[in-house]
Amino acid sequence: QVQLVESGGGLVQAGDSLRLSCAASGRTFSSYAMGWFRQAPGKEREFVTAIDWSGGDTYYADSVEGRFTISRDNAKNTVYLQMNPLKPEDTAVYYCAARSWGYSPNRDEYNYWGRGTRVTVSS
């Protein structure tokens, strides 16, 4: 069992930066691949980025490639999402998720989810 709690969201202007954190409970955090997803109002939840258990391999959606960076600290049971520069279209609730096997862009393949943190980017 893994419990995930996101933090770091807020209201920012276009061009600004934010770093989201996702703190995980449990001693087996390092065995999970982690992903970030987001859901904008009226839209489906979409894949943003993912990282393998070691942090050595990452995968990004085209919409955030080059602007967002995922990382993890297994000693702190935490995964991060650095977002820079932000655009108004990045406005959404951001969720982190854990997957028992390798990372995936498919939300249906993740076993555990946090409750999300809201990011609002004004133009």
Side-chain angles (χ1 to χ4, degrees), residues 74-94:
N74 287 341
K76 295 183 178 180
N77 281 12
T78 303
V79 63
Y80 303 98
L81 180 62
Q82 180 69 46
M83 305 184 292
N84 176 41
L86 283 158
K87 302 178 179 180
E89 52 263 42
D90 295 320
T91 295
V93 177
Y94 283 73

Side-chain angles (χ1 to χ4, degrees), residues 49-102:
T49 180
I51 190 167
D52 74 345
W53 68 274
S54 70
D57 205 5
T58 57
Y59 181 45
Y60 295 91
D62 290 344
S63 59
V64 306
E65 179 83 52
R67 298 189 299 120
F68 290 11
T69 302
I70 188 171
S71 62
R72 67 189 297 163
D73 186 339
N74 287 341
K76 295 183 178 180
N77 281 12
T78 303
V79 63
Y80 303 98
L81 180 62
Q82 180 69 46
M83 305 184 292
N84 176 41
L86 283 158
K87 302 178 179 180
E89 52 263 42
D90 295 320
T91 295
V93 177
Y94 283 73
Y95 300 88
C96 71
R99 186 169 187 259
S100 300
W101 299 101

Side-chain angles (χ1 to χ4, degrees), residues 101-117:
W101 299 101
Y103 63 75
S104 169
N106 187 343
R107 65 178 185 261
D108 295 332
E109 296 180 0
Y110 284 79
N111 308 99
Y112 304 102
W113 290 85
R115 293 189 173 186
T117 184

